[in-house]
Amino acid sequence: MTDFRLDPRLAADTVTVLDLPLSRLLAMRGVDHPWVILVPRRPDLVELLDLAPDDRAALSAEIDRVAAALRAQTGAHKLNVGALGNVVSQLHVHVIARFRDDPAWPHPVWGRPAVRPIDAATLEAFVADLRARLA
Amino acid sequence: MTDFRLDPRLAADTVTVLDLPLSRLLAMRGVDHPWVILVPRRPDLVELLDLAPDDRAALSAEIDRVAAALRAQTGAHKLNVGALGNVVSQLHVHVIARFRDDPAWPHPVWGRPAVRPIDAATLEAFVADLRARLA
């Protein structure tokens, strides 16, 4: 794990929730939705295909673990899970809690400006709660 | 598998590539990009979390198998993988070949009208080639 470095843009856009066995879990700032990102702590990953088989299995398990916690925490109507990487190439997986009355529903949220961004105190409480659920 | 029924909207928007051990693989019509969709052939699935553990592992393996074939076939610059389901609730996973000069780059492609949609003959040849790679 010595060569892992978080992409500076991901670092700037997020706060850290905690480190899972494989992935660093981040929470997005300045967005409308509870939105977290898993970044496997391995160097030089771009595609899911770049993961070693054991790490690929671990990432799927961590996605599900985070998604279950996020749904339990937020009561999300739908989870959106995606690995895109068109802008930030470092492999990262979005897990987003969606609601039928959220500002972007039913569209995807990537690339849309926030309409009612989560304020700093709400984000801090969200992160603390999610961290406790996953610790 | 007796109770699996493909959502009518997914059926209308796609052509079938082939059945993998777990998933039906579909190719989207009328879009700008080589774009395929995996639908696990199990009834009543909405979230990745709804899959039994063995099926979840099988789906991850099938996503990677399809993604590798799609990249080899198309020379994609980036793969976009996502499970959204805000419009069609039946669990389905998109795998999309993206190019730095494609009409939507670097934005996600969901919900965008096609600019230069793949014509029917090109789609047919794409599906036949992908089917051969995965058979």
Side-chain angles (χ1 to χ4, degrees), chain A residues 96-121:
Chain A
I96 305 160
R98 301 298 308 275
F99 303 88
R100 286 183 289 271
D101 60 351
D102 76 40
W105 186 267
H107 305 289
V109 298
W110 296 284
R112 298 177 74 94
V115 175
R116 304 189 293 257
I118 299 168
D119 64 78

Side-chain angles (χ1 to χ4, degrees), chain B residues 44-55:
Chain B
D44 304 325
L45 299 176
V46 174
E47 301 285 359
L48 293 168
L49 295 171
D50 297 335
L51 287 161
D54 285 357
D55 284 348

Side-chain angles (χ1 to χ4, degrees), chain B residues 99-113:
Chain B
F99 302 87
R100 286 183 289 271
D101 60 352
D102 75 40
W105 185 268
H107 304 289
V109 297
W110 296 285
R112 297 176 75 94

Side-chain angles (χ1 to χ4, degrees), chain B:
Chain B
M1 303 254 202
T2 50
D3 291 314
F4 171 73
R5 293 190 61 179
L6 184 63
D7 178 277
R9 182 154 172 173
L10 284 178
D13 290 348
T14 63
V15 296
T16 299
V17 180
L18 83 173
D19 277 356
L20 298 167
L22 175 63
S23 307
R24 180 156 300 164
L25 184 64
L26 310 169
M28 282 283 278
R29 311 173 192 266
V31 291
D32 287 319
H33 318 82
W35 177 339
V36 296
I37 296 176
L38 294 93
V39 186
R41 299 195 309 284
R42 299 280 190 259
D44 304 325
L45 299 176
V46 174
E47 301 285 359
L48 293 168
L49 295 171
D50 297 335
L51 287 161
D54 285 357
D55 284 348
R56 180 68 173 94
L59 178 60
S60 288
E62 291 185 354
I63 291 168
D64 288 3
R65 185 177 160 201
V66 167
L70 187 66
R71 185 168 64 176
Q73 180 184 8
T74 64
H77 300 148
K78 188 69 193 71
L79 298 166
N80 287 180
V81 177
L84 287 80
N86 303 340
V87 176
V88 170
S89 66
Q90 182 174 53
L91 178 63
H92 59 288
V93 179
H94 303 266
V95 181
I96 305 159
R98 301 299 308 274
F99 302 87
R100 286 183 289 271
D101 60 352
D102 75 40
W105 185 268
H107 304 289
V109 297
W110 296 285
R112 297 176 75 94
V115 175
R116 304 189 294 257
I118 300 168
D119 64 77
T122 303
L123 180 63
E124 186 177 345
F126 163 72
V127 166
D129 186 3
L130 183 60
R131 186 182 294 134
R133 289 170 184 266
L134 291 167

Side-chain angles (χ1 to χ4, degrees), chain A residues 35-90:
Chain A
W35 178 339
V36 297
I37 296 175
L38 294 92
V39 186
R41 299 195 309 284
R42 299 282 190 257
D44 304 325
L45 299 176
V46 174
E47 301 285 0
L48 293 168
L49 295 171
D50 297 335
L51 286 160
D54 285 356
D55 284 349
R56 179 67 173 95
L59 178 60
S60 288
E62 291 184 354
I63 290 169
D64 288 3
R65 184 177 161 203
V66 167
L70 187 66
R71 184 168 65 176
Q73 181 184 7
T74 64
H77 301 149
K78 189 69 193 71
L79 299 166
N80 287 180
V81 177
L84 287 80
N86 303 340
V87 176
V88 170
S89 65
Q90 181 175 52

